[in-house]
């Protein structure tokens, strides 16, 4: 995938020449060209168990490199020099005021440990040595090797042929001043800490690692970047700001001649979506995006990190787009830009305003906002929001009779209702609406006010009505979205609102 095509072929040929030899999990080569079939349950279980045991083993001198690691995440050039570097890591505890708001961002995996990049890479099958200050020993600080955290034993990937090993990230809690750690797969090295854990800033010394490219906006100069690329022997590197960190294969990074420009565009994208969600900036940590050969499900998925498929063997090409976001500025009828805006949107979704059937709907508020504010309009944003599709979907739905169960099954039909509200009341009303929900979370961190689908629907209609000054409960009911009698009565003092010529004839 990265720089080792000829090496991959040699490994594959060696595996095939073994003929009748019984392959074991530690020798089995899993690549896009040599997939492990979903039907081979015994070998999949054996690979899973072997990987789990190796990733947990503390016998660092006896953990071998797995042959598949040379293909993914990739091999380190044989000429790479092992270095010893001290990296200062600063961890800031999330503020008490922000924590209740972040707790509602369920799709963003908000309480996963914060990942702090080191600009170093661990070679598969070789131990690294980590030394921390004594005052850090009781802080549950972890050392992570690898960025590709999707476990292919789970979710959609659990029913697919594997194109890489299923579990390749190692995480160790640092309980001693000096710890030696080996990963059979290798990977970028991170120091991690829980978002709610106390703040600290301290040096962390890492020895026997390899330098990996790391561009930090505002710190790394163009000359430094050119030097890093020229000297890099690692298969992965990163581009970082305080809003976003991009984890990109070396082959793509080498084409990034102006990382400041790339990061400015990504800052606009992430910053724009946070602006719509009314999330305070700077946030408690950047959004992370990681390119992967095989992810847990979908073309991309939300979380920490956001995972993005890049598999030439399946014609899924996105690494070039993430490294050149100018390509996202044009309509693609539901292509990469809609996808990126959509997944970042999931990370912005407040779970309290996600009621039945809207998980894949309200994340697209952010897709629409980015097309409006960044791309100059919604032309060719997605076929699902075209005028023709919108009109035909509404005609069909209302001719058959509005029904909540049916409405929940069609995300683009569901999105029409919220688009009508946006077109009538504007994005600023949505921002005010989102701020109200943040206030709810701060006032009641238990979330009892939005527990259950009926409460969520009622709260949506009630809150939007109050921030817009118009009663939208009848509008929800017209779409087939049930609103309780109590809320309808409470909103009856407000003037009712209904779009012109609605339902359409």
């Amino acid at each position: 995938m990265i720089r080792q095509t000829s090496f991959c072929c040699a490994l594959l040929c060696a595996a095939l020449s073994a003929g009748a030899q019984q392959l074991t999990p530690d020798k089995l080569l899993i690549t896009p060209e040599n997939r492990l079939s979903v039907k081979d349950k015994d070998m999949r279980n054996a690979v899973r168990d072997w990987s789990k045991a190796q990733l947990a083993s503390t016998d660092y001198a006896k953990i071998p490199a797995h042959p598949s690691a040379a293909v993914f995440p990739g091999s380190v050039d044989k000429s790479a020099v092992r270095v010893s570097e001290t990296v200062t890591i600063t961890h800031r505890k999330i503020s008490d005021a922000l924590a209740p708001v972040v707790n509602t961002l369920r799709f963003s995996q908000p309480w996963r440990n914060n990942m702090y990049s080191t600009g170093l890479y661990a070679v598969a099958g070789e131990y690294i040595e980590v030394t921390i200050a004594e005052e850090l020993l009781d802080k549950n600080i972890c050392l992570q090797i690898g960025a590709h955290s999707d476990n292919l034993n789970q979710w959609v990937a659990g029913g697919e042929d594997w194109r890489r090993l299923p579990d390749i990230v190692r995480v160790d809690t640092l309980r001693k001043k000096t710890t030696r750690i080996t990963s059979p797969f290798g990977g970028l090295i991170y120091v991690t800490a829980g978002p709610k854990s106390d703040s600290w800033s301290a040096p962390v010394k890492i020895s026997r690692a390899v330098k990996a490219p790391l561009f930090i906006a505002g710190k790394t100069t163009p000359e430094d970047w050119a030097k890093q690329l020229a000297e890099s022997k690692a298969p992965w590197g990163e581009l970082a700001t305080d809003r976003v960190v991009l984890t990109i294969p070396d082959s793509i990074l080498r084409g990034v001649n102006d990382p400041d420009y790339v990061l400015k565009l990504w800052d606009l994208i992430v910053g724009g979506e946070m602006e719509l969600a009314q999330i305070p900036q700077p946030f408690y940590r950047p959004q992370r995006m990681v390119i992967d050969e095989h992810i847990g499900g979908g073309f991309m998925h939300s979380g920490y990190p956001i995972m993005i498929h890049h598999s030439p063997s399946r014609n899924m090409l996105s690494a070039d787009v993430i490294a050149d976001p100018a390509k996202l500025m044009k309509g693609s009828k539901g292509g990469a830009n809609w996808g990126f805006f959509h997944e970042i949107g999931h990370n912005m979704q407040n779970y309290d305003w996600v009621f039945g059937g809207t998980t894949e709907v309200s994340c697209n508020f952010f897709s629409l906002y980015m097309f409006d504010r960044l791309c100059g309009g919604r032309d060719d944003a997605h076929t699902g929001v075209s005028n023709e599709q919108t009109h035909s979907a509404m005609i069909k739905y209302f001719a058959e009779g509005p029904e909540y169960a049916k409405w929940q099954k069609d995300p683009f039909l569901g999105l029409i209702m919220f688009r009508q509200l946006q077109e009538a009341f504007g994005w600023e009303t949505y921002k005010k609406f989102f701020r109200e929900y943040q206030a709810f979370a701060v006032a009641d961190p238990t979330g009892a006010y939005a527990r259950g689908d009926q409460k969520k629907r009622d709260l949506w209609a009630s809150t939007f009505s109050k921030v817009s000054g118009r009663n939208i409960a009848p509008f929800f009911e017209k779409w087939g979205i049930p609103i309780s009698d109590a809320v309808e009565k409470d909103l009856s003092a407000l003037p009712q609102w209904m779009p012109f010529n609605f339902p359409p004839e």
Side-chain angles (χ1 to χ4, degrees), residues 1 44 72 147-168 236 247 289-303 305-311 314 316 318 339-340 343:
M1 172 188 170
R44 284 165 76 104
F72 194 90
H148 303 92
S149 53
D150 273 14
N151 188 331
L152 305 188
N153 287 293
Q154 303 167 350
W155 200 22
V156 178
E160 298 176 329
D161 295 346
W162 289 341
R163 302 192 306 279
R164 67 158 170 86
L165 284 154
D167 191 4
I168 59 174
W236 291 84
T247 304
M289 300 187 198
V290 176
I291 299 290
D292 199 335
E293 166 63 40
H294 196 167
I295 68 175
F299 179 68
M300 308 177 191
H301 72 72
S302 58
I306 293 170
M307 299 300 299
I308 300 127
H309 246 132
H310 181 76
S311 178
R314 296 192 64 194
M316 291 182 175
S318 56
F340 279 110
E343 298 305 341

Side-chain angles (χ1 to χ4, degrees), residues 3 5 21 152 182 195 202-203 264 278 332 360 362 464 478:
R3 283 188 292 169
T5 305
Q21 288 183 13
L152 305 188
T182 304
K264 282 177 182 176
Q278 292 292 282
S332 61
E360 296 299 328
S362 53
F464 199 93
K478 185 71 75 174

Side-chain angles (χ1 to χ4, degrees), residues 181-200:
I181 304 169
T182 304
S183 165
F185 314 116
L188 288 167
I189 301 171
Y190 303 91
V191 175
T192 78
K196 296 179 182 179
S197 62
D198 290 339
S199 300
W200 54 269

Side-chain angles (χ1 to χ4, degrees), residues 11-31:
L11 281 172
L12 183 56
C13 290
L16 293 173
S17 68
Q21 288 183 13
Q22 179 66 39
L23 285 174
T24 54
D26 60 320
K27 297 291 193 297
L28 180 66
L29 187 67
I30 303 174
T31 73

Side-chain angles (χ1 to χ4, degrees), residues 347-368:
N347 278 11
M348 304 295 153
Q349 276 177 307
N350 183 324
Y351 194 69
D352 294 339
W353 43 255
V354 178
F355 60 85
T358 64
T359 298
E360 296 299 328
V361 176
S362 53
C363 61
N364 285 326
F365 299 170
F366 301 89
S367 301
L368 294 173

Side-chain angles (χ1 to χ4, degrees), residues 65-364:
H66 195 283
S68 300
V71 181
F72 194 90
S75 62
V76 172
D77 192 284
K78 291 182 179 179
S79 66
V81 176
R82 278 53 173 173
V83 300
S84 177
E85 288 210 350
T86 298
V87 183
T88 298
I89 304 294
T90 299
H91 166 69
R92 291 187 179 88
K93 177 183 177 181
I94 188 170
S95 72
D96 292 341
L98 186 58
V101 174
V102 167
N103 197 50
T104 67
L105 308 179
R106 303 281 182 85
F107 302 109
S108 71
Q109 298 173 306
W111 305 126
R112 270 194 174 184
N113 274 15
N114 294 355
M115 297 166 61
Y116 299 104
S117 302
T118 64
L120 296 168
Y121 197 94
V123 180
E126 292 187 15
Y127 76 83
I128 60 170
E129 187 173 273
V130 186
T131 303
I132 61 173
E134 192 165 347
E135 60 265 27
L136 298 183
L137 292 178
D138 62 347
K139 295 189 180 296
N140 288 317
I141 295 164
C142 296
L143 193 288
Q144 177 173 320
I145 297 176
H148 303 92
S149 53
D150 273 14
N151 188 331
L152 305 188
N153 287 293
Q154 303 167 350
W155 200 22
V156 178
E160 298 176 329
D161 295 346
W162 289 341
R163 302 192 306 279
R164 67 158 170 86
L165 284 154
D167 191 4
I168 59 174
V169 168
R170 175 166 186 140
V171 179
D172 292 81
T173 303
L174 301 176
R175 305 187 188 281
K176 301 184 295 184
K177 286 190 67 175
T178 298
T179 309
R180 290 182 173 180
I181 304 169
T182 304
S183 165
F185 314 116
L188 288 167
I189 301 171
Y190 303 91
V191 175
T192 78
K196 296 179 182 179
S197 62
D198 290 339
S199 300
W200 54 269
S201 183
V204 177
K205 183 180 179 182
I206 301 173
S207 302
R208 293 177 48 84
V210 170
K211 294 276 288 181
L214 174 60
F215 185 95
I216 302 174
K219 293 183 180 179
T220 309
T221 66
E223 294 75 22
D224 290 338
W225 180 240
K227 186 172 185 289
Q228 285 190 54
L229 291 180
E231 295 176 353
S232 175
K233 309 293 183 182
W236 291 84
E238 295 185 316
L239 309 176
T241 74
D242 62 357
R243 282 182 178 162
V244 64
V245 181
L246 311 174
T247 304
I248 304 175
D250 169 80
S251 57
I252 301 298
L253 272 180
R254 290 184 179 279
V256 181
N257 298 317
D258 190 354
D260 269 321
Y261 170 74
V262 169
L263 289 171
K264 282 177 182 176
L265 287 178
W266 276 113
D267 269 1
L268 279 174
I269 293 169
V270 173
E273 298 209 19
M274 293 180 75
E275 163 63 23
L276 175 59
Q278 292 292 282
I279 292 172
Q281 301 183 59
F283 205 31
Y284 73 115
R285 66 185 182 192
Q287 301 291 314
R288 280 187 171 269
M289 300 187 198
V290 176
I291 299 290
D292 199 335
E293 166 63 40
H294 196 167
I295 68 175
F299 179 68
M300 308 177 191
H301 72 72
S302 58
Y304 184 76
I306 293 170
M307 299 300 299
I308 300 127
H309 246 132
H310 181 76
S311 178
S313 68
R314 296 192 64 194
N315 199 31
M316 291 182 175
L317 305 177
S318 56
D320 59 331
V321 176
I322 202 170
D324 184 9
K327 295 178 180 178
L328 302 179
M329 300 302 112
K330 294 181 289 186
S332 61
K333 298 184 178 180
N337 46 12
W338 183 275
F340 279 110
F341 301 160
H342 173 102
E343 298 305 341
I344 300 169
H346 272 307
N347 278 11
M348 304 295 153
Q349 276 177 307
N350 183 324
Y351 194 69
D352 294 339
W353 43 255
V354 178
F355 60 85
T358 64
T359 298
E360 296 299 328
V361 176
S362 53
C363 61
N364 285 326

